[in-house]
Amino acid sequence: MGSGDGAARGADGVHRTGGAQGAGTAGAGDAGAGHASARLLRLFEAHRLTPTQRRIAHCLVRKADEAPFLSSVEVAELAGVSQPSVTRFAVALGFDGYPALRRHLREVAPAAAAPDSAALNEYQQAVQAEIENLQHLATLLADTGPVARAGAVLAASRPLPVLGLRAAGAQARGFAYFAAKVHPDVRLLDEGGTMLADRLDAAVRAGASALLCFALPRHPRETVDTLAYAKEAGLTVVTVADSAFAPVAAHSDLLLPAAVGTGLAFDTACAPMLLGRVLLESMCDDLPDAQARLEEFDAHAAARGVFVD
């Protein structure tokens, strides 16, 4: 189906389908359910955790394959917290202490390495990890409710500010680029500094009701501060982050997790990128003139000879 500007045929990379209904149901079942991080998420999300405990949970989700074998001291060092905090975290989950939690993790979230993983080189292992991240995302998308709610919130915001700093800048720019073809006023916020709050204020004055944020590790303090500022300004914050326990969670009204790959020198973000496209699809479903806008763009692009295919 590929053509246009980096995606599927039609309207500069935008391919309209029948909507997001049923997303993630095909081929996601057993593969996604067996992913260690998915099981950890289900365990942790069932409890109300303090900010420190959320940091520990976030660390364990990112180290899902190693988590069942880490000592409480190692977890504390990885999460940047005290060892007693790790113990209190285990108790908050309903266990007698960290050893009991670790035994539970070994039972319900064993490392799920492929049988032939030893034969894969480091590049292949990185690709395999991204495949597992996508399978996990497919499992989460079996419930289309959160994405549908997010799409409606984003479609209703005029203008729609889209935030992404540092590593998340590419995700924010990609979303804003395509969203501008169906939404009448998309404002990209991909540069930090003192003017960031000014631009957010301008969006609020113009009528913005929501903010979309892409937040990836390492999480800039400025992203967290900007989300707090957006909440104070009355915006509904929708966030795509690498984990439901990322530092931005406390300032997000609706957080949609999509794991990043950590096997290479720099993180890989295939799942967050795909989740951004899913959000675009959901937003299109709540913009009644989206298809007309795409057709208008196609006509203008053809008249100007923008594309060679």
Side-chain angles (χ1 to χ4, degrees):
M1 294 189 298
S3 71
D5 189 16
R9 186 179 307 276
D12 191 19
V14 181
H15 173 68
R16 297 293 293 121
T17 66
Q21 288 75 14
T25 57
D30 295 338
H35 195 260
S37 62
R39 298 185 182 185
L40 290 181
L41 280 171
R42 286 196 293 270
L43 171 63
F44 299 152
E45 288 176 343
H47 301 271
R48 294 182 62 86
L49 303 177
T50 67
T52 296
Q53 291 165 354
R54 294 179 72 88
R55 286 182 64 181
I56 298 170
H58 179 59
C59 172
L60 291 176
V61 169
R62 293 204 72 197
K63 299 287 186 179
D65 290 338
E66 304 171 31
F69 309 100
L70 296 174
S71 69
S72 61
V73 173
E74 290 171 325
V75 173
E77 290 177 353
L78 288 170
V81 301
S82 67
Q83 190 274 337
S85 294
V86 177
T87 299
R88 289 193 291 270
F89 169 74
V91 172
L93 296 179
F95 297 94
D96 292 337
Y98 181 76
L101 170 59
R102 187 168 63 175
R103 285 194 299 271
H104 180 74
L105 294 182
R106 289 177 178 178
E107 294 172 0
V108 304
D116 60 347
S117 61
L120 301 179
N121 62 43
E122 61 178 315
Y123 309 129
Q124 292 175 307
Q125 290 173 11
V127 172
Q128 184 62 41
E130 283 296 80
I131 291 172
E132 292 174 354
N133 287 339
L134 291 171
Q135 289 172 336
H136 179 206
L137 177 61
T139 299
L140 294 178
L141 290 176
D143 177 6
T144 60
V147 168
R149 290 193 296 273
V153 167
L154 299 178
S157 183
R158 310 290 175 87
L160 172 61
V162 179
L163 173 68
L165 302 180
R166 293 186 178 265
Q171 310 301 324
R173 285 190 293 274
F175 182 94
Y177 174 74
F178 288 113
K181 302 182 187 307
V182 295
H183 191 287
D185 191 353
V186 178
R187 303 190 182 186
L188 176 62
L189 307 176
D190 63 345
E191 295 183 359
T194 58
M195 290 189 63
L196 181 56
D198 296 342
R199 297 173 67 191
L200 197 56
D201 286 338
V204 172
R205 286 195 300 270
S209 59
L211 166 74
L212 173 61
C213 173
F214 288 87
L216 301 178
R218 301 174 66 186
H219 294 276
R221 182 178 302 277
E222 192 170 16
T223 297
V224 178
D225 293 343
T226 300
L227 292 192
Y229 188 84
K231 291 279 291 178
E232 292 176 0
L235 294 177
T236 299
V237 175
V238 177
T239 302
V240 172
D242 59 303
S243 164
F245 302 97
V248 294
H251 304 294
S252 302
D253 295 291
L254 183 56
L255 188 144
L256 305 172
V260 300
T262 59
L264 301 176
F266 299 98
D267 288 348
T268 50
C270 295
M273 181 192 71
L274 180 55
L275 182 52
R277 297 299 188 269
V278 170
L279 271 177
L280 275 169
E281 183 75 8
S282 178
M283 192 175 73
C284 285
D285 291 339
D286 279 276
L287 291 169
D289 58 347
Q291 188 63 36
R293 286 178 176 272
L294 295 179
E295 292 172 357
E296 181 182 10
F297 176 87
D298 267 343
H300 289 175
R304 291 154 44 208
V306 174
F307 304 112
V308 296
D309 53 350

PDB file of all heavy atoms in Angstrom, residues 133-172:
ATOM      1  N   ASN A 133       7.412  -5.500  21.488  1.00  0.00           N
ATOM      2  CA  ASN A 133       6.759  -4.257  21.909  1.00  0.00           C
ATOM      3  C   ASN A 133       5.485  -4.008  21.106  1.00  0.00           C
ATOM      4  O   ASN A 133       4.464  -3.563  21.644  1.00  0.00           O
ATOM      5  CB  ASN A 133       7.712  -3.076  21.748  1.00  0.00           C
ATOM      6  CG  ASN A 133       8.813  -3.053  22.795  1.00  0.00           C
ATOM      7  OD1 ASN A 133       8.678  -3.655  23.858  1.00  0.00           O
ATOM      8  ND2 ASN A 133       9.904  -2.369  22.495  1.00  0.00           N
ATOM      9  N   LEU A 134       5.541  -4.302  19.810  1.00  0.00           N
ATOM     10  CA  LEU A 134       4.361  -4.121  18.965  1.00  0.00           C
ATOM     11  C   LEU A 134       3.273  -5.130  19.318  1.00  0.00           C
ATOM     12  O   LEU A 134       2.077  -4.805  19.288  1.00  0.00           O
ATOM     13  CB  LEU A 134       4.746  -4.230  17.494  1.00  0.00           C
ATOM     14  CG  LEU A 134       5.607  -3.089  16.944  1.00  0.00           C
ATOM     15  CD1 LEU A 134       6.114  -3.411  15.549  1.00  0.00           C
ATOM     16  CD2 LEU A 134       4.827  -1.776  16.936  1.00  0.00           C
ATOM     17  N   GLN A 135       3.679  -6.351  19.666  1.00  0.00           N
ATOM     18  CA  GLN A 135       2.688  -7.345  20.094  1.00  0.00           C
ATOM     19  C   GLN A 135       2.017  -6.904  21.387  1.00  0.00           C
ATOM     20  O   GLN A 135       0.801  -7.068  21.557  1.00  0.00           O
ATOM     21  CB  GLN A 135       3.380  -8.699  20.285  1.00  0.00           C
ATOM     22  CG  GLN A 135       3.816  -9.348  18.978  1.00  0.00           C
ATOM     23  CD  GLN A 135       4.666 -10.583  19.189  1.00  0.00           C
ATOM     24  OE1 GLN A 135       5.307 -10.732  20.230  1.00  0.00           O
ATOM     25  NE2 GLN A 135       4.711 -11.457  18.205  1.00  0.00           N
ATOM     26  N   HIS A 136       2.778  -6.330  22.290  1.00  0.00           N
ATOM     27  CA  HIS A 136       2.216  -5.813  23.534  1.00  0.00           C
ATOM     28  C   HIS A 136       1.228  -4.684  23.234  1.00  0.00           C
ATOM     29  O   HIS A 136       0.135  -4.626  23.800  1.00  0.00           O
ATOM     30  CB  HIS A 136       3.350  -5.314  24.432  1.00  0.00           C
ATOM     31  CG  HIS A 136       2.888  -4.736  25.728  1.00  0.00           C
ATOM     32  ND1 HIS A 136       3.613  -3.796  26.425  1.00  0.00           N
ATOM     33  CD2 HIS A 136       1.764  -4.948  26.459  1.00  0.00           C
ATOM     34  CE1 HIS A 136       2.957  -3.467  27.527  1.00  0.00           C
ATOM     35  NE2 HIS A 136       1.834  -4.150  27.566  1.00  0.00           N
ATOM     36  N   LEU A 137       1.605  -3.783  22.321  1.00  0.00           N
ATOM     37  CA  LEU A 137       0.709  -2.701  21.938  1.00  0.00           C
ATOM     38  C   LEU A 137      -0.574  -3.247  21.326  1.00  0.00           C
ATOM     39  O   LEU A 137      -1.677  -2.756  21.613  1.00  0.00           O
ATOM     40  CB  LEU A 137       1.411  -1.764  20.953  1.00  0.00           C
ATOM     41  CG  LEU A 137       0.570  -0.601  20.405  1.00  0.00           C
ATOM     42  CD1 LEU A 137       0.103   0.318  21.527  1.00  0.00           C
ATOM     43  CD2 LEU A 137       1.366   0.181  19.371  1.00  0.00           C
ATOM     44  N   ALA A 138      -0.450  -4.268  20.489  1.00  0.00           N
ATOM     45  CA  ALA A 138      -1.640  -4.877  19.884  1.00  0.00           C
ATOM     46  C   ALA A 138      -2.577  -5.421  20.950  1.00  0.00           C
ATOM     47  O   ALA A 138      -3.801  -5.291  20.847  1.00  0.00           O
ATOM     48  CB  ALA A 138      -1.228  -5.981  18.917  1.00  0.00           C
ATOM     49  N   THR A 139      -2.010  -6.011  21.998  1.00  0.00           N
ATOM     50  CA  THR A 139      -2.827  -6.531  23.088  1.00  0.00           C
ATOM     51  C   THR A 139      -3.578  -5.402  23.781  1.00  0.00           C
ATOM     52  O   THR A 139      -4.772  -5.507  24.068  1.00  0.00           O
ATOM     53  CB  THR A 139      -1.945  -7.278  24.109  1.00  0.00           C
ATOM     54  OG1 THR A 139      -1.305  -8.377  23.460  1.00  0.00           O
ATOM     55  CG2 THR A 139      -2.776  -7.805  25.263  1.00  0.00           C
ATOM     56  N   LEU A 140      -2.892  -4.306  24.050  1.00  0.00           N
ATOM     57  CA  LEU A 140      -3.531  -3.161  24.704  1.00  0.00           C
ATOM     58  C   LEU A 140      -4.641  -2.577  23.832  1.00  0.00           C
ATOM     59  O   LEU A 140      -5.685  -2.144  24.338  1.00  0.00           O
ATOM     60  CB  LEU A 140      -2.492  -2.079  25.008  1.00  0.00           C
ATOM     61  CG  LEU A 140      -1.409  -2.433  26.030  1.00  0.00           C
ATOM     62  CD1 LEU A 140      -0.423  -1.271  26.185  1.00  0.00           C
ATOM     63  CD2 LEU A 140      -2.024  -2.781  27.376  1.00  0.00           C
ATOM     64  N   LEU A 141      -4.442  -2.570  22.519  1.00  0.00           N
ATOM     65  CA  LEU A 141      -5.419  -1.971  21.610  1.00  0.00           C
ATOM     66  C   LEU A 141      -6.648  -2.850  21.389  1.00  0.00           C
ATOM     67  O   LEU A 141      -7.587  -2.441  20.702  1.00  0.00           O
ATOM     68  CB  LEU A 141      -4.763  -1.650  20.267  1.00  0.00           C
ATOM     69  CG  LEU A 141      -3.751  -0.502  20.287  1.00  0.00           C
ATOM     70  CD1 LEU A 141      -3.096  -0.341  18.925  1.00  0.00           C
ATOM     71  CD2 LEU A 141      -4.420   0.799  20.717  1.00  0.00           C
ATOM     72  N   ALA A 142      -6.646  -4.046  21.976  1.00  0.00           N
ATOM     73  CA  ALA A 142      -7.859  -4.859  21.909  1.00  0.00           C
ATOM     74  C   ALA A 142      -9.021  -4.123  22.579  1.00  0.00           C
ATOM     75  O   ALA A 142     -10.182  -4.311  22.205  1.00  0.00           O
ATOM     76  CB  ALA A 142      -7.627  -6.210  22.577  1.00  0.00           C
ATOM     77  N   ASP A 143      -8.702  -3.305  23.566  1.00  0.00           N
ATOM     78  CA  ASP A 143      -9.691  -2.413  24.169  1.00  0.00           C
ATOM     79  C   ASP A 143      -9.554  -1.065  23.472  1.00  0.00           C
ATOM     80  O   ASP A 143      -8.618  -0.311  23.739  1.00  0.00           O
ATOM     81  CB  ASP A 143      -9.434  -2.264  25.668  1.00  0.00           C
ATOM     82  CG  ASP A 143     -10.399  -1.289  26.343  1.00  0.00           C
ATOM     83  OD1 ASP A 143     -11.350  -0.812  25.673  1.00  0.00           O
ATOM     84  OD2 ASP A 143     -10.198  -0.982  27.534  1.00  0.00           O
ATOM     85  N   THR A 144     -10.458  -0.750  22.573  1.00  0.00           N
ATOM     86  CA  THR A 144     -10.355   0.483  21.780  1.00  0.00           C
ATOM     87  C   THR A 144     -10.860   1.711  22.531  1.00  0.00           C
ATOM     88  O   THR A 144     -10.736   2.826  22.029  1.00  0.00           O
ATOM     89  CB  THR A 144     -11.150   0.344  20.474  1.00  0.00           C
ATOM     90  OG1 THR A 144     -12.530   0.095  20.779  1.00  0.00           O
ATOM     91  CG2 THR A 144     -10.602  -0.801  19.625  1.00  0.00           C
ATOM     92  N   GLY A 145     -11.418   1.509  23.738  1.00  0.00           N
ATOM     93  CA  GLY A 145     -12.005   2.622  24.470  1.00  0.00           C
ATOM     94  C   GLY A 145     -11.064   3.779  24.735  1.00  0.00           C
ATOM     95  O   GLY A 145     -11.392   4.944  24.418  1.00  0.00           O
ATOM     96  N   PRO A 146      -9.856   3.545  25.312  1.00  0.00           N
ATOM     97  CA  PRO A 146      -8.955   4.668  25.600  1.00  0.00           C
ATOM     98  C   PRO A 146      -8.562   5.459  24.358  1.00  0.00           C
ATOM     99  O   PRO A 146      -8.538   6.697  24.375  1.00  0.00           O
ATOM    100  CB  PRO A 146      -7.749   3.978  26.243  1.00  0.00           C
ATOM    101  CG  PRO A 146      -8.309   2.742  26.859  1.00  0.00           C
ATOM    102  CD  PRO A 146      -9.375   2.287  25.901  1.00  0.00           C
ATOM    103  N   VAL A 147      -8.254   4.766  23.262  1.00  0.00           N
ATOM    104  CA  VAL A 147      -7.869   5.464  22.034  1.00  0.00           C
ATOM    105  C   VAL A 147      -9.056   6.238  21.465  1.00  0.00           C
ATOM    106  O   VAL A 147      -8.901   7.363  20.968  1.00  0.00           O
ATOM    107  CB  VAL A 147      -7.316   4.467  20.999  1.00  0.00           C
ATOM    108  CG1 VAL A 147      -7.181   5.130  19.630  1.00  0.00           C
ATOM    109  CG2 VAL A 147      -5.968   3.934  21.448  1.00  0.00           C
ATOM    110  N   ALA A 148     -10.245   5.665  21.531  1.00  0.00           N
ATOM    111  CA  ALA A 148     -11.430   6.365  21.041  1.00  0.00           C
ATOM    112  C   ALA A 148     -11.689   7.636  21.847  1.00  0.00           C
ATOM    113  O   ALA A 148     -12.013   8.692  21.281  1.00  0.00           O
ATOM    114  CB  ALA A 148     -12.642   5.441  21.100  1.00  0.00           C
ATOM    115  N   ARG A 149     -11.547   7.550  23.174  1.00  0.00           N
ATOM    116  CA  ARG A 149     -11.738   8.741  24.009  1.00  0.00           C
ATOM    117  C   ARG A 149     -10.686   9.794  23.700  1.00  0.00           C
ATOM    118  O   ARG A 149     -10.988  10.989  23.601  1.00  0.00           O
ATOM    119  CB  ARG A 149     -11.685   8.355  25.487  1.00  0.00           C
ATOM    120  CG  ARG A 149     -12.876   7.537  25.953  1.00  0.00           C
ATOM    121  CD  ARG A 149     -12.949   7.452  27.472  1.00  0.00           C
ATOM    122  NE  ARG A 149     -11.809   6.754  28.047  1.00  0.00           N
ATOM    123  CZ  ARG A 149     -11.761   5.440  28.211  1.00  0.00           C
ATOM    124  NH1 ARG A 149     -12.783   4.685  27.817  1.00  0.00           N
ATOM    125  NH2 ARG A 149     -10.709   4.866  28.763  1.00  0.00           N
ATOM    126  N   ALA A 150      -9.437   9.347  23.536  1.00  0.00           N
ATOM    127  CA  ALA A 150      -8.373  10.291  23.222  1.00  0.00           C
ATOM    128  C   ALA A 150      -8.612  10.970  21.879  1.00  0.00           C
ATOM    129  O   ALA A 150      -8.431  12.189  21.738  1.00  0.00           O
ATOM    130  CB  ALA A 150      -7.026   9.572  23.223  1.00  0.00           C
ATOM    131  N   GLY A 151      -9.030  10.199  20.873  1.00  0.00           N
ATOM    132  CA  GLY A 151      -9.292  10.779  19.557  1.00  0.00           C
ATOM    133  C   GLY A 151     -10.373  11.832  19.600  1.00  0.00           C
ATOM    134  O   GLY A 151     -10.260  12.882  18.956  1.00  0.00           O
ATOM    135  N   ALA A 152     -11.419  11.580  20.375  1.00  0.00           N
ATOM    136  CA  ALA A 152     -12.510  12.558  20.482  1.00  0.00           C
ATOM    137  C   ALA A 152     -12.038  13.829  21.172  1.00  0.00           C
ATOM    138  O   ALA A 152     -12.397  14.949  20.763  1.00  0.00           O
ATOM    139  CB  ALA A 152     -13.678  11.937  21.256  1.00  0.00           C
ATOM    140  N   VAL A 153     -11.229  13.677  22.219  1.00  0.00           N
ATOM    141  CA  VAL A 153     -10.712  14.842  22.947  1.00  0.00           C
ATOM    142  C   VAL A 153      -9.828  15.689  22.039  1.00  0.00           C
ATOM    143  O   VAL A 153      -9.929  16.923  22.006  1.00  0.00           O
ATOM    144  CB  VAL A 153      -9.935  14.386  24.197  1.00  0.00           C
ATOM    145  CG1 VAL A 153      -9.130  15.535  24.796  1.00  0.00           C
ATOM    146  CG2 VAL A 153     -10.898  13.833  25.241  1.00  0.00           C
ATOM    147  N   LEU A 154      -8.955  15.048  21.275  1.00  0.00           N
ATOM    148  CA  LEU A 154      -8.038  15.771  20.409  1.00  0.00           C
ATOM    149  C   LEU A 154      -8.772  16.438  19.252  1.00  0.00           C
ATOM    150  O   LEU A 154      -8.456  17.570  18.869  1.00  0.00           O
ATOM    151  CB  LEU A 154      -6.968  14.813  19.871  1.00  0.00           C
ATOM    152  CG  LEU A 154      -6.091  14.134  20.923  1.00  0.00           C
ATOM    153  CD1 LEU A 154      -5.105  13.182  20.250  1.00  0.00           C
ATOM    154  CD2 LEU A 154      -5.363  15.149  21.777  1.00  0.00           C
ATOM    155  N   ALA A 155      -9.746  15.750  18.691  1.00  0.00           N
ATOM    156  CA  ALA A 155     -10.506  16.323  17.567  1.00  0.00           C
ATOM    157  C   ALA A 155     -11.269  17.569  17.985  1.00  0.00           C
ATOM    158  O   ALA A 155     -11.457  18.493  17.189  1.00  0.00           O
ATOM    159  CB  ALA A 155     -11.464  15.269  17.011  1.00  0.00           C
ATOM    160  N   ALA A 156     -11.695  17.619  19.234  1.00  0.00           N
ATOM    161  CA  ALA A 156     -12.521  18.735  19.705  1.00  0.00           C
ATOM    162  C   ALA A 156     -11.706  19.963  20.084  1.00  0.00           C
ATOM    163  O   ALA A 156     -12.270  21.044  20.265  1.00  0.00           O
ATOM    164  CB  ALA A 156     -13.357  18.293  20.906  1.00  0.00           C
ATOM    165  N   SER A 157     -10.397  19.831  20.206  1.00  0.00           N
ATOM    166  CA  SER A 157      -9.567  20.958  20.621  1.00  0.00           C
ATOM    167  C   SER A 157      -9.190  21.823  19.423  1.00  0.00           C
ATOM    168  O   SER A 157      -8.571  21.357  18.476  1.00  0.00           O
ATOM    169  CB  SER A 157      -8.291  20.449  21.311  1.00  0.00           C
ATOM    170  OG  SER A 157      -7.507  21.525  21.783  1.00  0.00           O
ATOM    171  N   ARG A 158      -9.544  23.086  19.461  1.00  0.00           N
ATOM    172  CA  ARG A 158      -9.222  24.042  18.397  1.00  0.00           C
ATOM    173  C   ARG A 158      -8.609  25.301  19.003  1.00  0.00           C
ATOM    174  O   ARG A 158      -9.322  26.087  19.598  1.00  0.00           O
ATOM    175  CB  ARG A 158     -10.500  24.426  17.621  1.00  0.00           C
ATOM    176  CG  ARG A 158     -11.359  23.275  17.145  1.00  0.00           C
ATOM    177  CD  ARG A 158     -10.678  22.491  16.028  1.00  0.00           C
ATOM    178  NE  ARG A 158     -11.450  21.309  15.650  1.00  0.00           N
ATOM    179  CZ  ARG A 158     -12.424  21.307  14.744  1.00  0.00           C
ATOM    180  NH1 ARG A 158     -12.765  22.425  14.151  1.00  0.00           N
ATOM    181  NH2 ARG A 158     -13.057  20.186  14.442  1.00  0.00           N
ATOM    182  N   PRO A 159      -7.318  25.465  18.905  1.00  0.00           N
ATOM    183  CA  PRO A 159      -6.313  24.650  18.224  1.00  0.00           C
ATOM    184  C   PRO A 159      -5.924  23.420  19.031  1.00  0.00           C
ATOM    185  O   PRO A 159      -6.370  23.249  20.165  1.00  0.00           O
ATOM    186  CB  PRO A 159      -5.120  25.611  18.104  1.00  0.00           C
ATOM    187  CG  PRO A 159      -5.253  26.492  19.300  1.00  0.00           C
ATOM    188  CD  PRO A 159      -6.735  26.705  19.483  1.00  0.00           C
ATOM    189  N   LEU A 160      -5.068  22.594  18.431  1.00  0.00           N
ATOM    190  CA  LEU A 160      -4.568  21.394  19.097  1.00  0.00           C
ATOM    191  C   LEU A 160      -3.047  21.499  19.230  1.00  0.00           C
ATOM    192  O   LEU A 160      -2.317  21.327  18.255  1.00  0.00           O
ATOM    193  CB  LEU A 160      -4.927  20.147  18.296  1.00  0.00           C
ATOM    194  CG  LEU A 160      -4.287  18.834  18.789  1.00  0.00           C
ATOM    195  CD1 LEU A 160      -4.718  18.524  20.218  1.00  0.00           C
ATOM    196  CD2 LEU A 160      -4.632  17.679  17.854  1.00  0.00           C
ATOM    197  N   PRO A 161      -2.533  21.792  20.422  1.00  0.00           N
ATOM    198  CA  PRO A 161      -1.083  21.799  20.613  1.00  0.00           C
ATOM    199  C   PRO A 161      -0.554  20.375  20.775  1.00  0.00           C
ATOM    200  O   PRO A 161      -1.169  19.542  21.445  1.00  0.00           O
ATOM    201  CB  PRO A 161      -0.900  22.617  21.900  1.00  0.00           C
ATOM    202  CG  PRO A 161      -2.202  22.505  22.619  1.00  0.00           C
ATOM    203  CD  PRO A 161      -3.270  22.289  21.598  1.00  0.00           C
ATOM    204  N   VAL A 162       0.592  20.105  20.150  1.00  0.00           N
ATOM    205  CA  VAL A 162       1.224  18.786  20.198  1.00  0.00           C
ATOM    206  C   VAL A 162       2.644  18.969  20.722  1.00  0.00           C
ATOM    207  O   VAL A 162       3.457  19.637  20.077  1.00  0.00           O
ATOM    208  CB  VAL A 162       1.240  18.119  18.812  1.00  0.00           C
ATOM    209  CG1 VAL A 162       1.928  16.752  18.884  1.00  0.00           C
ATOM    210  CG2 VAL A 162      -0.172  17.969  18.266  1.00  0.00           C
ATOM    211  N   LEU A 163       2.931  18.380  21.869  1.00  0.00           N
ATOM    212  CA  LEU A 163       4.203  18.568  22.556  1.00  0.00           C
ATOM    213  C   LEU A 163       5.092  17.340  22.431  1.00  0.00           C
ATOM    214  O   LEU A 163       4.638  16.217  22.627  1.00  0.00           O
ATOM    215  CB  LEU A 163       3.940  18.862  24.037  1.00  0.00           C
ATOM    216  CG  LEU A 163       5.153  18.929  24.972  1.00  0.00           C
ATOM    217  CD1 LEU A 163       6.004  20.154  24.649  1.00  0.00           C
ATOM    218  CD2 LEU A 163       4.698  18.955  26.429  1.00  0.00           C
ATOM    219  N   GLY A 164       6.370  17.586  22.146  1.00  0.00           N
ATOM    220  CA  GLY A 164       7.360  16.511  22.140  1.00  0.00           C
ATOM    221  C   GLY A 164       8.743  17.121  22.176  1.00  0.00           C
ATOM    222  O   GLY A 164       9.144  17.807  21.239  1.00  0.00           O
ATOM    223  N   LEU A 165       9.473  16.902  23.253  1.00  0.00           N
ATOM    224  CA  LEU A 165      10.797  17.495  23.428  1.00  0.00           C
ATOM    225  C   LEU A 165      11.876  16.421  23.348  1.00  0.00           C
ATOM    226  O   LEU A 165      11.660  15.275  23.710  1.00  0.00           O
ATOM    227  CB  LEU A 165      10.878  18.219  24.765  1.00  0.00           C
ATOM    228  CG  LEU A 165       9.857  19.339  25.012  1.00  0.00           C
ATOM    229  CD1 LEU A 165      10.075  19.963  26.381  1.00  0.00           C
ATOM    230  CD2 LEU A 165       9.917  20.396  23.915  1.00  0.00           C
ATOM    231  N   ARG A 166      13.024  16.822  22.883  1.00  0.00           N
ATOM    232  CA  ARG A 166      14.196  15.953  22.769  1.00  0.00           C
ATOM    233  C   ARG A 166      13.862  14.665  22.017  1.00  0.00           C
ATOM    234  O   ARG A 166      13.433  14.716  20.885  1.00  0.00           O
ATOM    235  CB  ARG A 166      14.793  15.697  24.157  1.00  0.00           C
ATOM    236  CG  ARG A 166      15.412  16.954  24.799  1.00  0.00           C
ATOM    237  CD  ARG A 166      16.122  16.636  26.094  1.00  0.00           C
ATOM    238  NE  ARG A 166      16.748  17.837  26.651  1.00  0.00           N
ATOM    239  CZ  ARG A 166      18.019  18.180  26.454  1.00  0.00           C
ATOM    240  NH1 ARG A 166      18.783  17.415  25.707  1.00  0.00           N
ATOM    241  NH2 ARG A 166      18.510  19.287  27.005  1.00  0.00           N
ATOM    242  N   ALA A 167      14.025  13.496  22.636  1.00  0.00           N
ATOM    243  CA  ALA A 167      13.834  12.231  21.920  1.00  0.00           C
ATOM    244  C   ALA A 167      12.429  12.083  21.364  1.00  0.00           C
ATOM    245  O   ALA A 167      12.212  11.380  20.372  1.00  0.00           O
ATOM    246  CB  ALA A 167      14.158  11.055  22.842  1.00  0.00           C
ATOM    247  N   ALA A 168      11.456  12.737  22.001  1.00  0.00           N
ATOM    248  CA  ALA A 168      10.060  12.617  21.562  1.00  0.00           C
ATOM    249  C   ALA A 168       9.715  13.617  20.460  1.00  0.00           C
ATOM    250  O   ALA A 168       8.589  13.591  19.951  1.00  0.00           O
ATOM    251  CB  ALA A 168       9.124  12.815  22.749  1.00  0.00           C
ATOM    252  N   GLY A 169      10.665  14.466  20.082  1.00  0.00           N
ATOM    253  CA  GLY A 169      10.373  15.471  19.066  1.00  0.00           C
ATOM    254  C   GLY A 169       9.964  14.874  17.736  1.00  0.00           C
ATOM    255  O   GLY A 169       9.066  15.376  17.063  1.00  0.00           O
ATOM    256  N   ALA A 170      10.625  13.785  17.342  1.00  0.00           N
ATOM    257  CA  ALA A 170      10.300  13.163  16.057  1.00  0.00           C
ATOM    258  C   ALA A 170       8.872  12.636  16.039  1.00  0.00           C
ATOM    259  O   ALA A 170       8.165  12.744  15.024  1.00  0.00           O
ATOM    260  CB  ALA A 170      11.280  12.037  15.755  1.00  0.00           C
ATOM    261  N   GLN A 171       8.423  12.056  17.161  1.00  0.00           N
ATOM    262  CA  GLN A 171       7.055  11.539  17.230  1.00  0.00           C
ATOM    263  C   GLN A 171       6.048  12.679  17.145  1.00  0.00           C
ATOM    264  O   GLN A 171       5.024  12.575  16.462  1.00  0.00           O
ATOM    265  CB  GLN A 171       6.857  10.753  18.528  1.00  0.00           C
ATOM    266  CG  GLN A 171       7.916   9.704  18.809  1.00  0.00           C
ATOM    267  CD  GLN A 171       8.019   8.663  17.706  1.00  0.00           C
ATOM    268  OE1 GLN A 171       7.013   8.285  17.126  1.00  0.00           O
ATOM    269  NE2 GLN A 171       9.222   8.215  17.419  1.00  0.00           N
ATOM    270  N   ALA A 172       6.318  13.777  17.853  1.00  0.00           N
ATOM    271  CA  ALA A 172       5.406  14.919  17.829  1.00  0.00           C
ATOM    272  C   ALA A 172       5.346  15.543  16.444  1.00  0.00           C
ATOM    273  O   ALA A 172       4.264  15.886  15.949  1.00  0.00           O
ATOM    274  CB  ALA A 172       5.851  15.959  18.863  1.00  0.00           C
TER     275      ALA A 172
END
